[in-house]
Amino acid sequence: MHNDRTGQIVVIFLSVRTGADDAGYAAAAAAMEGLAALQPGYRGIESTRGSDGLGITLSFWADEASAVRWRDHPEHKAIRDAGRDRWYARYEVIICTAQRSYAWTPA
């Protein structure tokens, strides 16, 4: 089933990992995904990492205030700081609003 994302805030997180502490990274990523899902305004997440190491995570929020609350959440901040110290060679965050949304699924 498709969730119409029109009007949602999309936080795009592009990252390249250092390769250090894979187990710690996996545990932190799972914890953050679970914690994000409990936040008011959370609408979903999609994530992938290519063989070249580039990771792309999209998180979807009902509005700007919800996305900002997630950015400022103390546990999220602590994991973000750990990521800078340990897990990421670099990252970029882009925030935008979904102008249109549609999906296709085979019959």
Side-chain angles (χ1 to χ4, degrees):
M1 181 196 303
H2 174 64
N3 179 13
D4 184 3
R5 304 236 185 247
T6 303
Q8 291 182 8
I9 300 300
V10 185
V11 178
I12 304 167
F13 181 70
L14 307 173
S15 65
V16 174
R17 293 269 327 278
T18 62
D21 186 23
D22 287 338
Y25 177 81
M32 287 303 95
E33 188 170 337
L35 182 61
L38 299 174
Q39 303 311 303
Y42 174 83
R43 296 295 181 260
I45 191 168
E46 298 289 338
S47 191
T48 189
R49 186 165 302 277
S51 60
D52 63 353
L54 177 64
I56 304 170
T57 299
L58 308 174
S59 63
F60 301 92
W61 300 90
D63 51 37
E64 179 74 15
S66 299
V68 168
R69 278 192 304 274
W70 173 240
R71 179 199 67 197
D72 295 343
H73 190 286
E75 289 178 64
H76 184 212
K77 182 186 179 319
I79 291 297
R80 192 169 54 243
D81 291 345
R84 289 178 183 144
D85 291 341
R86 226 176 304 165
W87 298 311
Y88 295 115
R90 67 175 177 85
Y91 70 77
E92 178 179 2
V93 178
I94 304 159
I95 294 94
C96 54
T97 303
Q99 298 298 310
R100 277 185 305 283
S101 176
Y102 57 91
W104 177 85
T105 304

